[in-house]
Amino acid sequence: MLTHHPREPLPMAGGTTFRFVTDGVHSALEQAREAAGDRKVAIGGGAGTVRQYLAADLLDTLRLHIVPVVLGGGERLFTGLDDLRLEQAAAVAGPTVTHVTYRVVR
């Protein structure tokens, strides 16, 4: 888990251990890939986290889950990513949420 606050690893029931990474997105992704082995790695987080990975050109796919609820002021997802290009790959609409998948174009 990418954070600004160092913490000890947090083991969970079922064998998952959350590791708290304070030295940036590159390190967090490297550690996640190492832990995943030959499996895929998914990055989850808010706008700030996703923006850091997009700015570092570390994402191949972006999945957005859109719910028509206003929770507060929020944070803009694409601020400072003027050169970002996305191609829509899929969209699935449900009664309460729409899931949109984009390929990150390089």
Side-chain angles (χ1 to χ4, degrees):
M1 184 174 299
L2 192 61
T3 182
H4 295 290
H5 308 286
R7 289 183 54 181
E8 291 298 314
L10 178 63
M12 305 295 286
T16 298
T17 299
F18 284 97
R19 301 192 187 290
F20 299 90
V21 180
T22 59
D23 54 346
V25 294
H26 288 90
S27 176
L29 182 57
E30 181 180 318
Q31 291 179 53
R33 285 179 173 157
E34 183 177 310
D38 60 353
R39 295 171 294 175
K40 292 184 179 183
V41 171
I43 305 297
T49 298
V50 174
R51 190 171 42 255
Q52 288 178 65
Y53 279 94
L54 287 168
D57 197 25
L58 295 173
L59 297 183
D60 297 320
T61 304
L62 175 63
R63 291 190 178 97
L64 300 178
H65 311 287
I66 304 161
V67 178
V69 175
V70 178
L71 298 175
E75 188 176 343
R76 293 177 185 251
L77 178 59
F78 299 117
T79 297
L81 300 173
D82 299 333
D83 295 335
L84 178 65
R85 292 186 40 231
L86 302 172
E87 288 181 355
Q88 186 174 321
V92 178
T96 59
V97 62
T98 300
H99 306 280
V100 185
T101 302
Y102 295 98
R103 279 186 298 279
V104 178
V105 180
R106 294 183 168 81

